Amino acid sequence: MVSYISASYIYPVSAAPLKDGVIAIDSNGLIKEILTAAEAASKGITDITYYKGALVPGFVNTHCHLELSHLKGKIAKHTGLPGFVEQVIRQRQADEAEVIAAMEEADRKMYENGIVAVGDISNKLISKEVKEISGIHYHTFIEAMGFNPVKAEEIIKAAAELKHAFKPLSASIVPHAPYSVSDELFQQIRIEGEKNHDLISIHNQETPDENAFFEGKTGSFLKLYQFLGLNIDFFEATGKTSLISYLPKLSTTQKTLLVHNTFTSKADLDFASAHHPSLYWCLCPNANLYIEDKLPELKRLQDANVKITLGTDSLASNDQLSIIEEMKTLQDHFKISFEELLKWATWNGAAFLGIEDQFGSLAVGKTPGIVLLETVDNYVDNYVDILITGKIKRIA
């Protein structure tokens, strides 16, 4: 059975917006037709459910830590990243039932918030069952970390075992961050990833201390290593920023997601563009404000014409897991069109995860999820843009 829905605006993402357009969907959410108002009228279609607002594809959250959901409200804000990491380590251990219940609630909320696909960081197997029964598509990033080069083989072996245990769900082994992965472990991850054509994700330049550590072996990461009981006498500063120091260690044949990018410079962007053809840049603005109280230089990223995606990070570093709230924060702080934001929140994320045949745009033959956004018209230089209110309803 086919039903017809319409709204003030339809944003297919892969095509121009349609004012008062009509979408024909079956009971499974499969899009059968997308029509202009005139085309629907010419076909004599009258049984149409009309919504006020904008119909858009389901959102893609390219960076999440589902297994940290039980830490909601427990981590202090504005501590800086090293302080945040220390708090997470101190409070991460919890009763398994509590952790699972928190993940189930977070998964349910993401679904209600119109999220259809998630790139999720995992250090344990505990999230597998939640993901298997979810209405959301998950790709799991098995996070490998270890700054001691002696332990690289041991760490990659454990990561490979965890990846195997996640089957049949899709997963890949990835480096946590440049300051937590030894050169030897980077090499092991690269060998594993190239062999399996894996997706890669890595936390990048979330704090100024990350650059300070690589440039001169200074900053608060030294205190963090001391807290962790790690002897880093072996590490020598590169005299370069974090990104320029580690990016050559990653395979250029694998799609790679750089997450956060809060303290990425133009020189970093120029270097990245020259050295890696398959980069995506994930922004998690609400988490950046939560931890560092700082947002990335958005115009710098836009001027570099990089492929941007959006993420929520975790409930340890965010008040909610909602891509629409990430979009709203960016729209509140920067001059950016709704159409551009929407592409980051849908199509770019789907393209990175390799699921654009189903998700990321409203198109015939897809089941991308359909979301209704309450919006307000914003007239700028004779152009009607959309302001996001944050209110959302999942339609299909």
Side-chain angles (χ1 to χ4, degrees):
M1 177 181 174
V2 173
S3 57
Y4 295 91
I5 57 176
S6 179
S8 313
Y9 300 96
I10 292 175
Y11 282 84
V13 179
S14 55
L18 295 173
K19 184 172 174 55
D20 299 320
V22 178
I23 304 175
I25 55 173
D26 70 11
S27 57
N28 295 315
L30 177 70
I31 296 176
K32 310 294 286 186
E33 285 185 293
I34 299 178
L35 307 167
T36 65
E39 288 170 337
S42 70
K43 290 189 172 189
I45 300 170
T46 57
D47 187 14
I48 301 171
T49 302
Y50 185 85
Y51 298 97
K52 180 174 173 50
L55 291 176
V56 303
F59 302 120
V60 180
N61 179 0
T62 53
H63 183 72
C64 184
H65 295 254
L66 190 64
E67 63 188 33
L68 297 183
S69 298
H70 65 288
L71 294 178
K72 182 179 181 181
K74 296 181 181 179
I75 307 296
K77 296 183 179 181
H78 307 160
T79 62
L81 183 64
F84 171 81
V85 172
E86 185 173 329
Q87 287 187 87
V88 170
I89 291 170
R90 290 184 185 277
Q91 300 189 59
R92 181 164 187 159
Q93 299 306 315
D95 178 75
E96 185 174 297
E98 177 190 348
V99 175
I100 292 173
M103 289 192 296
E104 290 174 339
E105 174 68 5
D107 173 80
R108 182 180 66 81
K109 284 286 189 182
M110 281 197 284
Y111 184 87
E112 290 176 355
N113 287 331
I115 293 172
V116 294
V118 175
D120 186 62
I121 302 292
S122 290
N123 303 107
K124 303 176 182 178
L125 190 61
I126 195 168
S127 64
K128 181 182 180 181
E129 186 174 336
V130 176
K131 293 170 180 175
E132 283 182 318
I133 62 175
S134 174
I136 294 172
H137 169 91
Y138 281 93
H139 178 87
T140 299
F141 295 111
I142 308 297
E143 201 168 58
M145 66 175 80
F147 207 49
N148 186 337
V150 175
K151 295 187 176 181
E153 288 191 16
E154 174 188 334
I155 293 166
I156 200 69
K157 180 181 178 183
E161 290 173 354
L162 184 55
K163 178 184 176 184
H164 180 77
F166 263 99
K167 288 183 177 181
L169 300 178
S170 65
S172 53
I173 299 172
V174 302
H176 165 254
Y179 54 81
S180 62
V181 175
S182 66
D183 287 352
E184 289 76 5
L185 185 53
F186 265 117
Q187 179 63 18
Q188 293 285 352
I189 293 170
R190 179 169 180 161
I191 292 170
E192 180 76 16
E194 287 183 333
K195 179 174 63 178
N196 297 294
H197 307 289
D198 280 343
L199 298 174
I200 294 295
S201 171
I202 184 170
H203 295 82
N204 178 65
Q205 295 174 307
E206 190 176 355
T207 174
D209 291 284
E210 182 177 319
N211 285 329
F213 179 67
F214 280 90
E215 289 169 335
K217 202 176 181 179
T218 61
S220 59
F221 273 115
L222 299 180
K223 182 181 176 183
L224 178 62
Y225 293 126
Q226 187 177 20
F227 165 74
L228 295 171
L230 294 177
N231 184 337
I232 60 165
D233 287 347
F234 64 87
F235 175 76
E236 294 183 8
T238 63
K240 303 173 183 177
T241 66
S242 168
L243 184 144
I244 293 175
S245 299
Y246 79 80
L247 193 62
K249 302 172 189 175
L250 301 179
S251 171
T252 59
T253 64
Q254 294 172 261
K255 283 194 289 186
T256 299
L257 187 73
L258 306 184
V259 181
H260 293 301
N261 316 300
T262 321
F263 296 89
T264 301
S265 68
K266 184 180 184 303
D268 290 323
L269 287 162
D270 290 343
F271 180 88
S273 297
H275 287 81
H276 201 305
S278 304
L279 291 180
Y280 290 75
W281 302 72
C282 177
L283 305 182
C284 305
N286 287 328
N288 300 149
L289 291 173
Y290 194 109
I291 297 172
E292 293 282 345
D293 199 23
K294 175 80 166 62
L295 290 172
E297 296 288 345
L298 187 62
K299 189 173 187 304
R300 183 180 294 160
L301 292 164
Q302 291 173 290
D303 288 346
N305 198 32
V306 299
K307 290 174 283 191
I308 297 175
T309 72
L310 299 182
T312 61
D313 214 330
S314 73
L315 285 174
S317 59
N318 206 332
D319 296 318
Q320 68 278 307
L321 303 182
S322 169
I323 291 296
I324 194 65
E325 289 300 324
E326 304 298 327
M327 294 171 69
K328 191 172 185 299
T329 293
L330 289 172
Q331 200 172 58
D332 287 345
H333 285 82
F334 301 103
K335 185 177 181 180
I336 178 173
S337 73
F338 174 72
E339 283 189 66
E340 187 171 11
L341 264 180
L342 185 62
K343 184 178 179 181
W344 300 351
T346 56
W347 178 259
N348 283 3
F352 168 67
L353 291 175
I355 52 174
E356 65 270 35
D357 59 336
Q358 180 180 350
F359 301 109
S361 65
L362 301 177
V364 173
K366 285 187 167 188
T367 52
I370 301 176
V371 175
L372 173 69
L373 303 184
E374 182 183 278
T375 58
V376 177
D377 287 356
N378 182 35
Y379 293 89
V380 182
D381 300 329
N382 297 318
Y383 170 73
V384 181
D385 199 12
I386 296 294
L387 290 177
I388 304 165
T389 69
K391 292 185 179 179
I392 185 172
K393 180 180 180 181
R394 185 158 186 152
I395 303 299

